Amino acid sequence: MHNNKNKATAFSSPDFNRYFAASAFLTLATWMTRFLVGWMTWDLTASALWVGVVSASMLVPTLFLSPYFGVLADRVNARNGMVLIHMSEALLALATSLASVFGYFSLHWLLLLALLLGGLSAAQHPMRLVLLPKLVDRELFPSAIGLASTTYNASRVLGPALAAWLLLTVGVAAAFLAVAALLLAGLLLILRLKVTSSPSFDCSQPVLQALLQGFRVALMTPLIRLVLILTMIDGLLGRSVMELLPAISGQLIGGNAATLAKLTALAGAGSILGGVLVSRLRGKEARLLRLVLAALLGCSLILLSVMAVRELVGLGGMIMLLSLAVTMIGTGCQALIQLCIADQYRGRVLSIWTVVSLGVPALGAFVIGAAADAFGFRTVLLCAALLGAASVLATVNKYRLVRP
């Protein structure tokens, strides 16, 4: 561990600096890959159904396999696990590049690629979440998590743009080759991390028993239980709205592709700012919990403004503020769990949080989207705002005895 007690941010740790640089390469490669897979599916099939199937193929393994990889993350060296995972991703990108060159690129290849990437993503989430706290002192956990989120959200904007440019200028094969190069660059930095941790619990324990133990710890720890509930509210209230941005843009202001691009950029800017704000906090659970609750109530207030939105400026401001709040909630919730969970349960509990944070927004987007088709987005988002505020207040009242 590092002596950072008098330092303001996680950048005071040399290992975190290496991780931050590695994360910039790795997350850029991830978002480029997502764009390339989605675009190539559309290019091959011209079918929205197949695009959805391929997209779901990358998400479903994460939802179902993350808890099992959480058990593994508690048993192995997280740095070595990250190396193996991203090396596998680089080999997949290289194989896809070669498949394109030699004419083997097809829908079946894309489906297999999506499933394999989904499986690797399921393994990567708990490994990354276990690794990060080993790079800084406990009081700098929020700083490390907030700063790491800035690279993720910046890559969410830059990755698709870079992938699109490569597609237009050099083609599919070269684009996937660039992805492989980015992954290898990130790997070289991950290999320089000085993490020598040993397994934190009995590796002879059956996997299912270890998994159930992680669920019990999550449900029996009041603060973790509260964070999971708040994550669900965020998924239904804020993040599901972000998932529906193309439809919201089209219905509320009659937006086109250029409009969506501007809104996406504003959402990315809001996310980066949210990560920076959280990165300035120290490891105080009470302060983080108040931040998360305030941001959730802020989401409700922001969504209420939908009644006044009539043009791009208004909707853009709403989306930017909503994205800022959602990022603060997500990073704050993750930091709260990182601060209160014991090392031997970290991978398992955080993998449960990952499933909630990824799965609930997908469900929320489906529910809100279906309701919006029947009643319109203004009415549905107004109801979501009111229900979200009521849920937060009810949760706070029910768990008022929680004192982190």
Side-chain angles (χ1 to χ4, degrees):
M1 192 61 68
H2 308 275
N3 184 19
N4 298 321
K5 291 183 179 179
N6 297 318
K7 303 299 183 179
T9 73
F11 283 136
S12 57
S13 163
D15 270 338
F16 179 79
N17 290 336
R18 299 184 188 100
Y19 174 86
F20 185 84
S23 181
F25 289 115
L26 297 172
T27 55
L28 188 62
T30 296
W31 282 103
M32 287 177 64
T33 301
R34 290 184 182 184
F35 177 87
L36 291 169
V37 170
W39 174 256
M40 293 311 301
T41 304
W42 175 257
D43 188 55
L44 285 171
T45 66
S47 166
L49 173 62
W50 277 115
V51 173
V53 169
V54 171
S55 179
S57 297
M58 287 191 285
L59 176 62
V60 169
T62 301
L63 296 178
F64 287 97
L65 297 179
S66 279
Y68 291 95
F69 283 113
V71 175
L72 184 63
D74 283 332
R75 295 184 173 188
V76 303
N77 184 299
R79 185 202 66 177
N80 295 341
M82 291 279 287
V83 169
L84 180 60
I85 291 163
H86 292 303
M87 177 63 75
S88 300
E89 289 178 334
L91 291 174
L92 278 176
L94 179 60
T96 304
S97 177
L98 293 174
S100 178
V101 169
F102 293 105
Y104 293 107
F105 205 75
S106 64
L107 178 60
H108 294 95
W109 181 278
L110 279 172
L111 285 170
L112 177 61
L113 176 64
L115 285 170
L116 291 174
L117 288 173
L120 289 171
S121 178
Q124 183 261 346
H125 282 295
M127 293 291 177
R128 172 178 58 83
L129 295 173
V130 167
L131 174 64
L132 189 56
K134 299 181 184 300
L135 307 179
V136 296
D137 285 334
R138 183 179 183 277
E139 66 175 5
L140 294 180
F141 284 2
S143 175
I145 294 166
L147 289 170
S149 77
T150 62
T151 62
Y152 179 86
N153 288 302
S155 296
R156 187 173 66 176
V157 177
L158 297 175
L162 178 57
W165 179 76
L166 288 171
L167 275 177
L168 291 172
T169 55
V170 293
V172 176
F176 275 105
L177 194 61
V179 168
L182 287 169
L183 289 166
L184 290 174
L187 277 177
L188 292 176
L189 290 165
I190 292 290
L191 284 169
R192 294 185 61 195
L193 298 180
K194 297 178 176 64
V195 179
T196 57
S197 58
S198 58
S200 54
F201 75 98
D202 183 8
C203 294
S204 65
Q205 186 180 28
V207 172
L208 182 58
Q209 183 179 338
L211 179 60
L212 292 175
Q213 187 179 46
F215 274 98
R216 283 195 296 270
V217 169
L219 295 177
M220 293 177 64
T221 306
L223 181 57
I224 296 177
R225 191 166 65 242
L226 173 59
V227 168
L228 291 175
I229 292 172
L230 295 177
T231 301
M232 286 189 277
I233 295 173
D234 175 45
L236 293 170
L237 178 65
R239 295 188 61 193
S240 59
V241 173
M242 302 305 298
E243 297 288 336
L244 292 166
L245 193 54
I248 291 173
S249 168
Q251 189 175 121
L252 293 186
I253 61 173
N256 54 23
T259 306
L260 180 60
K262 293 174 183 176
L263 291 174
T264 302
L266 287 170
S271 295
I272 293 170
L273 180 58
V276 171
L277 291 174
V278 174
S279 75
R280 306 305 301 177
L281 297 176
R282 291 299 188 99
K284 303 293 185 182
E285 291 97 322
R287 184 183 302 173
L288 281 167
L289 183 55
R290 287 194 294 269
L291 173 71
V292 170
L293 292 170
L296 276 170
L297 289 174
C299 282
S300 295
L301 294 175
I302 293 164
L303 286 178
L304 288 176
S305 68
V306 72
M307 303 305 295
V309 168
R310 294 291 185 275
E311 55 186 17
L312 176 60
V313 173
L315 183 59
M318 184 186 107
I319 293 301
M320 184 174 180
L321 289 174
L322 187 64
S323 182
L324 183 150
V326 165
T327 300
M328 293 175 71
I329 295 164
T331 53
C333 284
Q334 184 193 145
L336 281 167
I337 295 179
Q338 293 277 26
L339 285 166
C340 72
I341 192 66
D343 275 344
Q344 63 263 37
Y345 303 115
R346 195 177 299 278
R348 284 166 283 175
V349 171
L350 283 165
S351 69
I352 295 167
W353 175 79
T354 297
V355 171
V356 173
S357 65
L358 293 177
V360 173
L363 175 62
F366 173 78
V367 173
I368 291 177
D373 280 346
F375 304 105
F377 269 112
R378 294 188 196 279
T379 301
V380 172
L381 293 182
L382 176 62
C383 293
L386 296 174
L387 288 173
S391 299
V392 174
L393 294 174
T395 302
V396 171
N397 183 61
K398 183 176 180 180
Y399 286 88
R400 62 188 180 278
L401 297 180
V402 173
R403 293 290 184 268

